[in-house]
Amino acid sequence: TTGFGIHPALLDASLHALGLAAEQDSTVLPFSWQGVTLHATDAARLRVRITRMGADSVALELADQSGLPVLTVHDLAFR
C-alpha cells in the first residue's frame, strides 16, 4: 500500500459490489466521480458501504478495520 493514498487494487476490489447495487442485469462500470474525499492513507483492509442514490449512481463510504473513514464519494455514476 506504500506510495498510494489508497492502493488501486484495494479501491478496485471495493467497487466489485457495484454489480449488486446496480438495477441493470448487465455489467456496470464507474463513469463519473463527484465529491471524492480521501480521509486517511495506507489502509490495508476496507469496509465498504454502498448507498443507492438513483438508478445509475451510488454513494460510497470506505472505512478501515476500526471504522475510521478512509474515502468518501458523494456520487459515483455508473454505466
Side-chain angles (χ1 to χ4, degrees):
T1 60
T2 306
F4 298 96
I6 183 169
H7 195 280
L10 192 57
L11 179 59
D12 179 64
S14 69
L15 297 178
H16 286 188
L18 279 177
L20 300 174
E23 292 183 356
Q24 297 92 351
D25 290 333
S26 59
T27 302
V28 296
L29 298 172
F31 178 73
S32 173
W33 301 71
Q34 301 292 323
V36 178
T37 303
L38 181 65
H39 302 281
T41 60
D42 299 325
R45 294 183 178 143
L46 293 175
R47 296 176 182 180
V48 181
R49 175 178 289 172
I50 300 174
T51 304
R52 187 183 314 270
M53 301 304 289
D56 296 325
S57 66
V58 296
L60 300 172
E61 296 176 47
L62 284 65
D64 64 14
Q65 291 174 286
S66 61
L68 296 173
V70 173
L71 180 81
T72 54
V73 180
H74 289 280
D75 188 25
L76 172 57
F78 46 86
R79 303 258 195 286

